[in-house]
Amino acid sequence: MSNIRLHYDIDGDDFTRAGEASAAVKKHLRQLGVSPNVIRKVAIALYEGEINMVIHAHGGVIDVEISPEGVELVLADQGPGIPDIAKAMQEGWSTAPDEVRSLGFGAGMGLPNMKKNSDDMKVETTLGVGTTVTMRVNMD
């Protein structure tokens, strides 16, 4: 298999379309015959990141590269940035507004679930500029 690159533009504040990119990547991986364990990890990590972009950053872009070695996910936004990455990595810690929580989102599990479901994760953030999260899920 040669490397496959996919690109998705994520609309901010649009919860009706949130999850479309992760569903499309999941379908793509299934068609390629990738193991269910890898598909599950990619789908969870990507969905959590996609939701974070919708809630906190008014959208952004997702680039996916699928190779024989693994799946690399790069999520980049121009949101407010993350003031305290260590706090944001704690399960249950959230800055989501009440209206987002009333929709069932913003439980503070996004970044922890992204880390738990990726083999490698790097968060680069600058306040007032944006955040880029790079994750890698290795093939089984």
Side-chain angles (χ1 to χ4, degrees):
M1 161 176 71
S2 60
N3 290 11
I4 297 168
R5 289 182 170 82
L6 307 168
H7 176 85
Y8 302 92
D9 293 309
I10 307 304
D11 292 330
D13 305 314
D14 185 354
F15 289 95
T16 60
R17 297 191 58 212
E20 286 183 359
S22 53
V25 171
K26 181 178 177 179
K27 180 179 177 184
H28 211 97
L29 292 172
R30 196 176 286 136
Q31 290 171 339
L32 292 170
V34 172
S35 81
N37 183 51
V38 171
I39 293 171
R40 179 187 58 77
K41 289 167 59 174
V42 168
I44 292 169
L46 189 53
Y47 178 79
E48 293 286 7
E50 193 174 350
I51 291 298
N52 276 355
M53 292 172 105
V54 171
I55 293 172
H56 300 289
H58 310 296
V61 296
I62 296 174
D63 288 296
V64 178
E65 184 170 354
I66 305 165
S67 72
E69 295 79 34
V71 182
E72 184 173 89
L73 311 163
V74 180
L75 294 79
D77 67 56
Q78 295 177 341
I82 303 170
D84 188 333
I85 293 174
K87 267 190 184 174
M89 292 301 293
Q90 295 175 12
E91 291 185 9
W93 189 83
S94 177
T95 59
D98 289 339
E99 58 268 19
V100 169
R101 290 174 191 249
S102 72
L103 297 172
F105 299 101
M109 295 303 295
L111 284 172
N113 277 339
M114 292 163 70
K115 183 163 182 62
K116 185 169 34 174
N117 286 285
S118 60
D119 293 301
D120 185 49
M121 183 172 112
K122 180 172 67 173
V123 180
E124 298 170 297
T125 189
T126 303
L127 294 181
V129 176
T131 301
T132 299
V133 177
T134 304
M135 296 178 284
R136 179 161 187 80
V137 177
N138 298 328
M139 294 295 184
D140 285 339

